[in-house]
Amino acid sequence: MSYENILVETHGAVGLVRLNRPKALNALSNGLVQDLGKALDAFEADDAIGCVVLTGSDRAFAAGADITEMKDAGYIDLFLADFPHAPGFGWRTLYTMRKPIIAAVAGFCLGGGCEMAMACDFIIAADNAKFGQPEITLGTMPGAGGTQRLTRAVGKSKAMELCLTGRLMDAAEAERSGLVSRIVPVADLVEDALKTAATIAKLSRPVVLSVKESVNVAFSSTLQEGLRFESRAFHATFATEDRKEGMTAFVEKRPPQFKNR
Ligand code: CO8
């Protein structure tokens, strides 16, 4: 399928989506988000794909919601459309994906762009990345998870400062504060993210899905509930052929052959 606002590639068992509205610094128009949702749905349904990478350009992951498109919206339009969480819209698809998705972020990652990166499972940042929630400077506020996910990622003090002032933080500060897993040179970003995704895609699919689910439960449960969920998921790996193969291969000193069973 071809798309107007994104570029889609496959690299072995890895799906790659590049946000592609260069003239608007990849601002997240409704058309772009719809394209993204369709591409993610297709990767989710494709058994040959084990992990997805979402990236932008060297200049911008995404500079936020498309302000030109949004400027004339009224309260009732957004409320009735349940923007941006409506079923079938790309944001919902991103939130509910079971396969892991890595955000590979270079350049501006602002507003809805930062929210989109944070909705991925982890962020690898290029050394030129700049993160922020500048919505307040436009007279609005984060609306796709910025006040919630940023706070969980970097803690109240920094999240509050960034959301209240619109200040941008560079890659080093983002790594120090736990927003990104690591920083790589911008020239290596996509290759590095693809390599990381390929590592994940080679592992046992059911176990990968369970790990993602279990880590996410940490954000919506008490510690006791989370530990209970994790132990049930851990027990369940003992019902897979892959767990048996993984441990047998270790003992036999050979690489495992996972069958996703
Ligand atoms: N929307 C629409 N167009 C944009 C956006 C945007 N968010 N960001 C940049 N552009 C356009 C510019 O208008 C410009 O277009 P043109 O060449 O036609 O004038 C082009 O991209 C290049 O931008 P600049 O000339 O401004 O480039 P600079 O390098 O000087 O500045 C900045 C780069 C600092 C990133 C600057 O463009 C900027 O401040 N952009 C806006 C950032 C922002 O405020 N983002 C938050 C948007 S609101 C939001 O995200 C709400 C989220 C709610 C839920 C999510 C739903 C999707």
Side-chain angles (χ1 to χ4, degrees):
M1 197 187 294
S2 74
Y3 300 95
E4 207 178 315
N5 305 289
I6 58 173
L7 301 170
V8 175
E9 300 161 24
T10 55
H11 295 254
V14 176
L16 174 66
V17 179
R18 295 178 194 264
L19 305 179
N20 187 38
R21 296 186 69 216
K23 287 188 186 143
L25 301 184
N26 294 332
L28 305 171
S29 62
N30 286 337
L32 180 147
V33 174
Q34 262 154 2
D35 282 355
L36 175 65
K38 284 184 197 148
L40 296 183
D41 269 338
F43 282 140
E44 185 84 325
D46 184 346
D47 281 347
I49 296 295
C51 191
V52 177
V53 172
L54 177 61
T55 195
S57 67
D58 287 358
R59 190 167 173 220
F61 178 77
D66 190 319
I67 300 168
T68 319
E69 194 178 78
M70 197 175 254
K71 86 179 168 34
D72 295 323
Y75 163 78
I76 208 69
D77 307 319
L78 299 180
F79 177 70
L80 288 179
D82 195 14
F83 180 85
H85 305 292
F89 198 42
W91 284 93
R92 175 82 72 102
T93 314
L94 175 60
Y95 298 157
T96 55
M97 266 186 83
R98 296 182 78 207
K99 290 177 185 170
I101 176 162
I102 304 170
V105 172
F108 295 109
C109 184
L110 309 181
C114 189
E115 293 172 309
M116 186 168 275
M118 291 190 292
C120 294
D121 295 310
F122 59 95
I123 302 174
I124 300 176
D127 47 14
N128 74 341
K130 283 204 180 327
F131 298 86
Q133 300 290 161
E135 290 92 337
I136 196 154
T137 65
L138 301 168
T140 184
M141 61 179 284
T147 61
Q148 304 304 300
R149 288 199 174 89
L150 188 63
T151 307
R152 283 164 167 80
V154 306
K156 176 181 164 185
S157 190
K158 196 178 285 285
M160 199 65 103
E161 188 208 341
L162 294 177
C163 292
L164 283 175
T165 65
R167 178 174 78 79
L168 308 191
M169 67 175 163
D170 63 17
E173 184 179 357
E175 187 188 33
R176 243 186 356 258
S177 55
L179 180 64
V180 311
S181 64
R182 57 200 168 78
I183 302 174
V184 298
V186 63
D188 302 340
L189 176 70
V190 173
E191 197 187 323
D192 190 292
L194 288 172
K195 215 166 129 194
T196 305
T199 301
I200 295 168
K202 268 197 224 106
L203 299 169
S204 166
R205 179 89 41 90
V207 180
V208 164
L209 301 184
S210 297
V211 169
K212 170 168 172 166
E213 196 179 3
S214 196
V215 172
N216 281 332
V217 165
F219 292 95
S220 61
S221 68
T222 63
L223 180 61
Q224 283 311 315
E225 288 161 351
L227 289 170
R228 175 66 59 199
F229 183 93
E230 182 196 74
S231 63
R232 291 288 179 259
F234 163 69
H235 298 157
T237 65
F238 283 73
T240 66
E241 292 173 28
D242 286 346
R243 195 283 313 165
K244 194 163 187 148
E245 165 65 7
M247 291 190 177
T248 305
F250 177 82
V251 171
E252 293 176 358
K253 301 192 187 304
R254 61 172 174 80
Q257 300 290 322
F258 293 126
K259 294 189 190 136
N260 299 333
R261 306 299 303 169

